[in-house]
Each structure stands twice: as C-alpha cells, then as structure tokens.
Amino acid sequence: MPRVFISAAHKSSGKTTVTLGLCAALHARGHAVQPFKKGPDYIDPLWLGMAAQRPCYNLDFHMMQRDEIEQQFARAAASARISLIEGNKGLYDGLDLDGSNSNAALAKHLEAPVLLVIDARGMTRGVAPLILGYQAFDPAIRIAGVILNNLGGSRHESKLRAVIEHYTDVEVVGAVQYDTGMQIVERHLGLVPANEQQTAVTRIRHVGERIAAQVDLDRLLAIADRAPEREMPAGRTVPIQGERVRLAVAHDPAFGFYYSEDFDSLRASNVELVELDTLHARSLPEVDGLIIGGGFPEVFMAELEANTVLRTKIRDAIEAGLPTYAECGGLMYLSRRISWQGRTCEMVGVVPGDTVMHERPVGRGYASLQPTGDDRWQEPALIPAHEFHYSSLENLSADSIYAYRVKRGHGIDGQHDGYQRHNLLASYSHRRGSGKQGWIVPFLNQVRAHKARTAA
C-alpha cells in the first residue's frame, strides 16, 4: 500500500494546503488518491475529499483503538494508487508527554515515510539544524523528504536547497513559492468548509496546478512506493444488523461535520440515509430517525430561522418521540435561539436553552464522557470524544436530564453533556459513531425499538 505521511515542523506551516494540492494534482494525473486526516477534524477532510474525489477518513488514537486504525486504513487504501495521511500540528506534537498519540506515533504505527512541510519564511541556514533535529529526535521515524513552503523567490529557494544538500541527507521534494491565491479563508474553527464555498472547486484546481508545478510528483510516488509491505486487517465489525430503517441526515452548508466512516457503518447496518437540507426543505421526510451533526448554524441562522415550516415539523417530530441524535451545531439548532454579533434568531426550540456565541472557545480539544446512569442508550463505561465550540447553552432548567458526566472537557455546563428529552440526545461533544464505543449501535437499537412500538 503506497503511502506518505504529510506533517510539519509546527502548526500553520501550510501542510493542509500542500496536501490539498497534492491530492488535486495526483487526481488530475489520473491516480486514485486516498486522503486521511490524523485527529478529530471535520473541515480539512471536506477539502481533501473534494480534491481527491474520494471520501477522506480520520485516524485518531483517542477515538479509535489501534486495530481499528489499521482496519480503517487498509479498507480505504486498498483501491488507491497512493494514500496521503495529513497530520495535525507538528510531527512530534501530541496530547501525551511520551508522544504515544502524536503524528510521529501514527506514522510509525502505519510504517509510513514522512514528508516534512517547512514554512521557510525568513529562514536560510537555520533550516539544516531544524531538519537534523527532527531526524535525531526519533530515529525510527523516516523523514523521506521535505517540501519547502512560502518561499520568497527563486534566490531564496536556491539558498535553502544548497544548505539542505550540504548539511543533510534529506531530499527536497518540492519548493512552493508564497502565493496569496493558494490561501483558504479561515474561520473561528479553522478553514471555511469546502461544502460552503461556491468557489471551492476553482480554488482546489488552482492549488493543485501550483503544487503540480512546484513539487516533484514522481519523487513523491517513488517515496510512497518504498513504504514497507505489511499485512493490515481489512475486516469490518458491522455495528448492528436488523430491520431496514430510514434516517434523515442534516447535510447542507449549515451542517456538514460527519465522519465518512460513520456513513459507511450506517449503510452497512441496513440503513437508508436521506439528506435533509435544513435551509430549504419544506418538510421532514418519512423517516425512522434523525441525525443533525455539527457545522456553523450561527453563520446561517437567518436562513434557518426563515424556514419556519421545517423547524416546526422537526420540533413536533421530536416531541412525538422521533429518535434524534445531535452534536454541537445540531444542539445549537435544536435550542430556542442563537445569539451572535448582536443578532438573535429563533431556532427549533425543543431544547429549552439559549445558544450564545463568544469570541473565545468555550470547549476545544479531546473530551472524555462517563454515562450518568440516566441515559437510555446503555453506553460503555467511558466514552472518548472531542469538542470544538465557541458557544454556550444558557438558561437550561436545573432538573435537565443528561446522558454524560464530563470527565475531561466542558460539555454543556462544565460538568454535564448529552441533553435528553423523549428520544433525543443532543450534546456539544463529538463522538465517533463506529466501533465498540460509538453512538451508532445504541442509536440504531433505539430507532428500531421505537419503530416496533409505533408499528404495534
């Protein structure tokens, strides 16, 4: 399985743009490119998947067990000419002191050669000790090459190439000049989602063309081809089989934060997925359950408010017992209202609280959740999760019923998460749906049980 791990010396080095361009450039050449993203990220995978024209899959030590990482990688990579795994932050950055969940640890686990993206602005001779230090820190990591990024011109490039050739044994696979046309607008949670930008396809094409002109794609393929052969389990643990059910999934510019793996698992569990456009749909389709993932409802709150008919139908359906799973943006949408930048818009109102946006993050990073015993989902003992939200949910009643105690993170109030009402579970925390600790199995159990009760 030819593969390369794209990492960087530090955060904001441009590795996402470089990886995006590599996906687009290789796809334009006719290669099947399989993108992966290390860590709990929704936005980068949207861009990478669009560039490669294949779903991007997340790989993360906190959310997945090691055998699950291997299975997911093997399944997706099996039909690709090359797999590109984009890291998060710097190569050796991670949650734990020992680096057990770092980018380097994932590259080592998958035996993937590393291409180091270096933001070379203002740098000349200092690039050599940087590279040498990264090599020496963990000799088990194979840094197969570097891509110099944000160069100041051809003279700057020549100096850096000469320094690297003289002092190191690492080859320069690419040298990318600084180009404002390659930059992607950022928002408070990262890059603006690709599903929201009308010009995304044009931007991706431009980035791909610039990367193709400045990175040696043949050398990249050769490096990937030298990755060690290894046996990886390709099996899948199908979450649950049973009667076929239909689930509506909010999927539009306001809501697009889903893991590709979870869609695969749902379909493998005899589920028909029906996309729901919360901005324009005039009715809720005939379904057995509803999923509303994360996104940016605050950006589209005027359009969401204007769709009064759908908001009413969703509220009535949940009040009538429709099994519903909502995360972060979905929780915000189901609240009474959203306030942001001096404006307030009415939302669904089934969660009796008010969403207030803030300038700084309220919850950001990995989380761990412990079931309260009041949950109806029969969850595992401790649930790995993550959260990325700049909002808080205010004015909830003191007697609200929660599914989780927050052991790490913030959740709704710093202590609890997973607001429950009827057959609704809505939380700020994002969870992986697939796997032994995922939300798919308990949710489908609830959906099928409710369908059976309704039929009876």
Side-chain angles (χ1 to χ4, degrees):
M1 293 180 180
R3 56 199 182 274
V4 171
F5 197 101
I6 312 293
S7 193
H10 55 78
K11 183 181 178 181
S12 300
S13 295
K15 61 178 167 40
T16 298
T17 303
V18 169
T19 308
L20 178 75
L22 291 173
C23 287
L26 290 165
H27 175 72
R29 276 196 176 190
H31 297 303
V33 186
Q34 179 55 61
F36 296 90
K37 174 68 180 186
K38 194 268 185 187
D41 192 330
Y42 292 107
I43 298 177
D44 288 2
L46 285 172
W47 285 94
L48 297 176
M50 184 176 289
Q53 293 296 293
R54 290 169 69 105
C56 179
Y57 292 92
N58 295 70
L59 305 172
D60 181 53
F61 289 120
H62 179 69
M63 308 287 283
M64 307 170 73
Q65 298 177 2
R66 288 178 177 262
D67 63 325
E68 292 175 330
I69 289 175
E70 292 181 3
Q71 290 170 10
Q72 180 58 71
F73 181 82
R75 281 195 302 270
S79 59
R81 167 64 181 89
I82 182 174
S83 292
L84 300 179
I85 311 150
E86 188 207 340
N88 61 342
K89 300 184 180 180
L91 177 60
Y92 293 111
D93 293 329
L95 184 66
D96 299 326
L97 178 64
D98 63 3
S100 58
N101 72 338
S102 66
N103 295 281
L106 181 59
K108 191 184 304 184
H109 185 63
L110 296 176
E111 296 183 285
V114 173
L115 278 183
L116 198 64
V117 177
I118 297 177
D119 184 345
R121 284 177 291 188
M123 185 178 290
T124 52
R125 193 165 179 264
V127 73
L130 174 65
I131 294 172
L132 293 170
Y134 270 72
Q135 286 182 301
F137 189 78
D138 187 350
I141 300 297
R142 179 183 164 225
I143 299 179
V146 296
I147 296 178
L148 303 172
N149 195 31
N150 292 321
L151 296 177
S154 57
R155 185 178 178 184
H156 186 202
E157 177 184 339
S158 297
K159 287 182 178 180
L160 289 170
R161 285 183 179 273
V163 167
I164 293 170
E165 181 179 352
H166 181 76
Y167 288 104
T168 81
D169 60 355
V170 175
E171 64 177 313
V172 177
V173 179
V176 182
Q177 304 295 322
Y178 178 77
D179 180 358
T180 56
M182 291 176 61
Q183 296 176 0
I184 301 172
V185 178
E186 294 198 3
R187 186 185 288 153
H188 47 267
L189 296 185
L191 300 180
V192 175
N195 69 330
E196 184 185 317
Q197 286 211 359
Q198 298 298 320
T199 59
V201 173
T202 302
R203 181 60 57 89
I204 289 170
R205 185 184 303 115
H206 173 73
V207 174
E209 290 170 353
R210 297 301 298 143
I211 290 296
Q214 299 176 91
V215 175
D216 189 336
L217 299 181
D218 291 328
R219 290 300 306 143
L220 174 68
L221 290 167
I223 290 170
D225 287 339
R226 292 202 299 268
E229 290 293 331
R230 59 176 293 177
E231 291 294 325
M232 292 188 182
R236 173 190 295 278
T237 302
V238 177
I240 186 171
Q241 290 294 320
E243 180 187 0
R244 187 164 182 79
V245 294
R246 299 181 83 228
L247 300 179
V249 180
H251 206 198
D252 51 49
F255 302 103
F257 291 1
Y258 301 100
Y259 290 129
S260 298
E261 178 194 19
D262 291 345
F263 285 155
D264 293 346
S265 296
L266 286 164
R267 293 189 182 100
S269 300
N270 205 18
V271 171
E272 178 187 354
L273 298 176
V274 182
E275 288 195 1
L276 175 65
D277 184 342
T278 59
L279 303 177
H280 304 105
R282 305 303 293 172
S283 65
L284 183 66
E286 291 292 328
V287 290
D288 305 302
L290 173 62
I291 300 170
I292 311 176
F296 294 107
E298 69 275 15
V299 176
F300 299 93
M301 63 184 188
E303 294 93 328
L304 293 169
E305 180 184 51
N307 195 349
T308 307
V309 174
L310 182 63
R311 289 192 292 113
T312 301
K313 290 183 181 296
I314 289 176
R315 181 175 63 247
D316 292 346
I318 293 175
E319 292 287 3
L322 181 70
T324 302
Y325 180 70
E327 288 185 347
C328 200
L331 168 66
M332 296 164 64
Y333 177 56
L334 295 179
S335 71
R336 285 187 296 232
R337 56 190 62 91
I338 296 176
S339 297
W340 184 43
Q341 296 183 341
R343 297 184 60 199
T344 298
C345 292
E346 298 299 312
M347 293 293 114
V348 173
V350 74
V351 176
D354 305 308
T355 300
V356 179
M357 294 296 299
H358 304 281
E359 292 296 322
R360 300 180 63 82
V362 175
R364 189 168 189 171
Y366 286 125
S368 293
L369 309 172
Q370 184 179 58
T372 59
D374 293 325
D375 67 289
R376 308 179 182 97
W377 289 48
Q378 299 180 351
E379 296 279 40
L382 195 64
I383 301 167
H386 64 96
E387 54 182 342
F388 298 87
H389 58 101
Y390 278 61
S391 71
S392 59
L393 188 63
E394 301 181 359
N395 304 320
L396 273 178
S397 172
D399 61 357
S400 297
I401 300 174
Y402 299 101
Y404 316 128
R405 292 186 187 89
V406 177
K407 307 300 289 184
R408 175 190 176 92
H410 186 274
I412 288 176
D413 62 4
Q415 296 180 318
H416 306 96
D417 206 0
Y419 175 84
Q420 295 185 119
R421 180 182 178 87
H422 307 305
N423 292 317
L424 163 69
L425 176 59
S427 62
Y428 267 122
S429 298
H430 296 282
R431 296 177 52 189
R432 178 174 174 246
S434 307
K436 300 172 185 176
Q437 297 173 299
W439 57 262
I440 289 177
V441 169
F443 181 60
L444 291 183
N445 284 337
Q446 188 182 49
V447 169
R448 290 189 169 111
H450 180 262
K451 184 177 182 180
R453 288 194 301 269
T454 303

